Amino acid sequence: MQRLLIILGIVLLLAGLAWPWLSRLPFGRLPGDIIIERENFRLYFPLTTGLLVSLLLSLLLWWWFRK
């Protein structure tokens, strides 16, 4: 458990440091993401991005625990 938390912390730290470059990736603006903008209201629902991230994490965890 300690090893997993340390690795997760390092990954989050690296993602935070790389955020200026990561924000340029098309995640969050994929076809299928729902954006509703009104006069004083904005709803953003990243449906496709969420499905893609979920699939990627599922594959990574499956590969990791398969070993």
Side-chain angles (χ1 to χ4, degrees):
M1 185 67 169
Q2 293 172 351
R3 181 178 173 198
L4 179 66
L5 288 174
I6 290 172
I7 290 172
L8 183 62
I10 291 171
V11 167
L12 287 174
L13 178 68
L14 291 175
L17 292 173
W19 188 253
W21 297 283
L22 291 175
S23 64
R24 294 181 186 165
L25 293 174
F27 291 116
R29 289 170 269 156
L30 295 174
D33 290 345
I34 299 169
I35 301 172
I36 299 173
E37 293 184 26
R38 302 284 164 100
E39 192 172 313
N40 292 324
F41 177 75
R42 183 174 180 186
L43 174 71
Y44 176 68
F45 188 71
L47 183 65
T48 305
T49 301
L51 289 172
L52 189 62
V53 169
S54 175
L55 177 67
L56 180 66
L57 286 175
S58 295
L59 288 173
L60 281 172
L61 288 173
W62 171 78
W63 177 73
W64 182 311
F65 288 117
R66 186 173 163 229
K67 288 184 172 185

